[in-house]
Amino acid sequence: MVLTIRTTHKPATDLGFLLHKNPSRIHEVELSFGKATVVYTEADDEGCSAAMIVDVDTVGLVRGKRAGEGGLLRQYVNDRPFVASSLMSTAISRVFGTAMSGKCKERPELASISIPLEIEIGAVSCKGGLETIEKFFEPLGYEIDATSVPLDPKFPEWSATSIFNLKLSATVRLSELLGHLYVLLPSLDRSKHYWVGVDEVDKLLRRGKGWLETHPHKELIARRYLKFQERLARMAIARLSEDEGEPDPEEEIAEKEEVLVKTVRLHDARLNAVFSVLKESGARRVLDLGCGGGKLLERLLHSRQFEEIVGMDVSIIELEHAERRLRLDRLSPKAVDRIKLIHGSLVYTDNRLKGFDAAAVVEVIEHLDPSRLNSFEQSIFGFARPTLVVITTPNKEYNSLYEGLEADAMRHIDHRFEWTRSEFEDWGKAAAVAHGYGVVFSPIGPVDQVLGAPSQMAVFRLGN
């Protein structure tokens, strides 16, 4: 795979400063799947061209993997070493990461200006053809020259393939261009060389920030980037819409809940209930697992009872929101020492979670696939084993009271399930017995005589 970046900005050798790669040298970077080499094919005041050659170790790429669809032969014999795909995106991030972040150490002013740039990629995999390439790049201001590569020039009757020689040109900041390529190349290819999970949503939003929110085909890009995993695509699209100022589905549900809970919003009622349990327990070292934007952390930080507070979330973006909410950069050194934000998952055992007095898991478990609930249970009750665990989750029975919520629909697009009161109690009692906890259940919010409360809470105490 070869990616060539050229500029006629004067002096054109400024490209070397922007890429953090000296034109007089050959630069080699080891990758997990091979090696990338950057060389300059021209470097003078009139024109400067940098070529990144990505050499893929096809054996290393599949070493240790099980045979997938098509068997091991298909894993070894394919187009991955030759076409621009997620492998190219990874190489861009690894080799030009500083440039993509918009930083230029030697000439900081260069990173903020738009310059004429030309891109050529010898083989781009695009399932959807030229029309898809145009849909993705034209709204971003690029002039496109894309030529379909035939299977064999000697046999034109074999028809065209989904491989294109792609040339792009625009006057744009280099960081923007690299971000566009990072997102759009795997979106054109519709494949990834690694497992696609929730963290890919964060990656998409981070690299697409500032342009993807307003792109007319953002939904198609998100779905293709996330390999058509509908749950992840819905998450990404909802958050892109939120960034653009469109209604957020979760906020719409919160508004409906607020109508039903006139005195206190249900979300605040949940946080107040959990905070009260934690405070009354006398806990001093507390975990907020799945902390999201940090609303519970904010309450905990304001109480001097809690000497060590750790918020963990699987989403980097949510952790960034929490950091801003808590204003960590403005806290006193003493306050900063009390609180820590960490990236992690609830379904994996984690030594960082051991030794705490209490853990809160507020409106989180319903976002887990049911098949992973056992891993969650083992991670929290079996491995971390805090003295107190507080879990809240929606009451499915109450949903029929929400106007506009269809029968059997869930409150949020990312909920994998919602439990009735009896289902939650059955799960909670079984988990408590299995791991030596006692458990007590209580409602949160106004109680309907037939349907119960909108939310439900379980308080687990070790040894009780």
Side-chain angles (χ1 to χ4, degrees):
M1 292 181 282
V2 180
L3 164 66
T4 302
I5 304 174
R6 185 175 190 270
T7 188
T8 54
H9 163 81
K10 295 182 181 179
T13 48
D14 280 350
L15 183 63
F17 292 110
L18 283 167
L19 292 175
H20 292 255
K21 299 288 183 288
N22 190 322
S24 65
R25 294 175 48 203
I26 295 175
H27 306 266
E28 294 184 348
V29 178
E30 293 297 325
L31 305 171
S32 61
F33 50 82
K35 182 176 70 173
T37 304
V38 178
V39 298
Y40 285 79
T41 56
E42 61 172 332
D44 56 42
D45 288 350
E46 300 300 318
C48 187
S49 298
M52 180 175 70
I53 303 130
V54 181
D55 184 16
V56 177
D57 175 7
T58 53
V59 176
L61 192 61
V62 301
R63 185 178 290 121
K65 292 185 178 180
R66 297 180 179 179
E69 182 182 352
L72 282 172
L73 179 60
R74 183 173 178 179
Q75 294 190 29
Y76 284 101
V77 183
N78 54 55
D79 63 1
R80 297 298 88 181
F82 312 108
V83 301
S85 62
S86 61
L87 295 170
M88 177 65 82
S89 289
T90 300
I92 289 172
S93 177
R94 181 79 173 81
V95 178
F96 299 136
T98 304
M100 187 160 58
S101 69
K103 298 176 182 176
C104 183
K105 183 178 179 181
E106 298 295 332
R107 299 276 302 280
E109 73 281 358
L110 284 176
S112 62
I113 63 173
S114 297
I115 62 174
L117 290 167
E118 301 168 10
I119 298 297
E120 181 170 4
I121 307 173
V124 171
S125 172
C126 179
K127 298 175 178 66
L130 178 59
E131 181 182 358
T132 302
I133 293 175
E134 291 173 344
K135 280 183 178 179
F136 285 7
F137 284 101
E138 280 186 348
L140 298 172
Y142 290 96
E143 292 185 11
I144 301 167
D145 181 3
T147 306
S148 177
V149 178
L151 286 171
D152 190 325
K154 294 181 180 179
F155 300 96
E157 66 273 15
W158 286 1
S159 75
T161 66
S162 60
I163 308 300
F164 291 81
N165 176 273
L166 180 62
K167 297 178 182 178
L168 302 168
S169 59
T171 299
V172 65
R173 293 198 304 271
L174 178 65
S175 59
E176 291 179 322
L177 181 143
L178 294 174
H180 297 158
L181 294 178
Y182 182 91
V183 170
L184 295 179
L185 289 178
S187 299
L188 292 172
D189 185 51
R190 297 194 320 186
S191 185
K192 291 283 180 72
H193 67 282
Y194 54 84
W195 171 255
V196 174
V198 175
D199 58 333
E200 284 299 291
V201 176
D202 292 339
K203 199 181 298 183
L204 171 65
L205 298 180
R206 185 168 67 253
R207 297 305 185 190
K209 188 173 183 180
W211 62 271
L212 186 55
E213 307 96 317
T214 56
H215 197 290
H217 303 291
K218 64 184 179 184
E219 294 186 9
L220 179 61
I221 292 169
R223 286 192 168 90
R224 291 174 69 117
Y225 183 88
L226 297 165
K227 293 181 64 176
F228 291 96
Q229 293 193 40
E230 194 57 31
R231 177 175 69 92
L232 299 181
R234 289 199 306 268
M235 290 173 58
I237 292 165
R239 288 165 63 180
L240 284 168
S241 297
E242 180 183 4
D243 290 343
E244 194 183 5
E246 296 177 5
D248 175 21
E250 189 169 11
E251 280 299 314
E252 290 179 354
I253 294 298
E255 289 173 6
K256 294 172 184 176
E257 290 176 338
E258 188 173 11
V259 171
L260 291 167
V261 187
K262 299 185 187 305
T263 54
V264 181
R265 287 188 64 185
L266 179 56
H267 186 56
D268 291 329
R270 292 187 194 108
L271 296 178
N272 292 341
V274 172
F275 178 80
S276 294
V277 171
L278 295 174
K279 192 167 181 62
E280 290 170 8
S281 73
R284 296 190 176 277
R285 304 181 67 231
V286 181
L287 296 164
D288 183 4
L289 303 176
C291 64
K295 289 185 177 180
L296 178 59
L297 294 173
E298 189 174 33
R299 284 169 165 80
L300 296 171
L301 189 59
H302 288 162
S303 173
R304 294 185 180 181
Q305 172 183 320
F306 303 106
E307 299 171 355
E308 183 178 358
I309 306 163
V310 173
M312 186 179 82
D313 205 281
V314 73
S315 168
I316 294 293
I317 288 181
E318 289 291 356
L319 290 172
E320 290 173 350
H321 290 168
E323 184 177 3
R324 288 194 293 271
R325 173 181 292 278
L326 299 169
R327 300 182 179 182
L328 296 185
D329 57 333
R330 300 182 186 180
L331 293 179
S332 67
K334 187 174 181 180
V336 170
D337 287 343
R338 291 173 54 215
I339 190 162
K340 182 191 299 182
L341 299 177
I342 62 175
H343 182 239
S345 170
L346 294 176
V347 298
Y348 299 109
T349 56
D350 191 330
N351 284 321
R352 295 174 298 176
L353 307 184
K354 278 192 164 184
F356 283 81
D357 301 323
V361 188
V362 181
E363 306 297 293
V364 172
I365 58 171
E366 62 272 10
H367 293 269
L368 302 176
D369 288 322
S371 62
R372 312 204 78 174
L373 282 173
N374 184 60
S375 297
F376 163 77
E377 182 183 323
Q378 296 298 326
S379 172
I380 305 306
F381 298 113
F383 185 80
R385 295 186 70 76
T387 304
L388 181 82
V389 180
V390 186
I391 298 177
T392 75
T393 192
N395 169 21
K396 179 181 178 181
E397 298 163 81
Y398 201 86
N399 289 355
S400 62
L401 295 180
Y402 291 124
E403 182 181 352
L405 196 62
E406 297 179 3
D408 298 326
M410 289 185 279
R411 299 187 196 178
H412 189 271
I413 57 174
D414 189 46
H415 285 185
R416 309 309 296 152
F417 63 89
E418 287 178 1
W419 274 328
T420 64
R421 287 167 292 171
S422 61
E423 288 171 334
F424 185 40
E425 290 182 12
D426 288 345
W427 173 82
K429 289 174 182 177
V433 169
H435 299 284
Y437 283 79
V439 62
V440 176
F441 301 90
S442 58
I444 299 176
V447 178
D448 181 88
Q449 291 185 353
V450 177
L451 302 173
S455 197
Q456 46 191 338
M457 178 170 67
V459 179
F460 299 81
R461 285 184 169 83
L462 187 61
N464 292 339

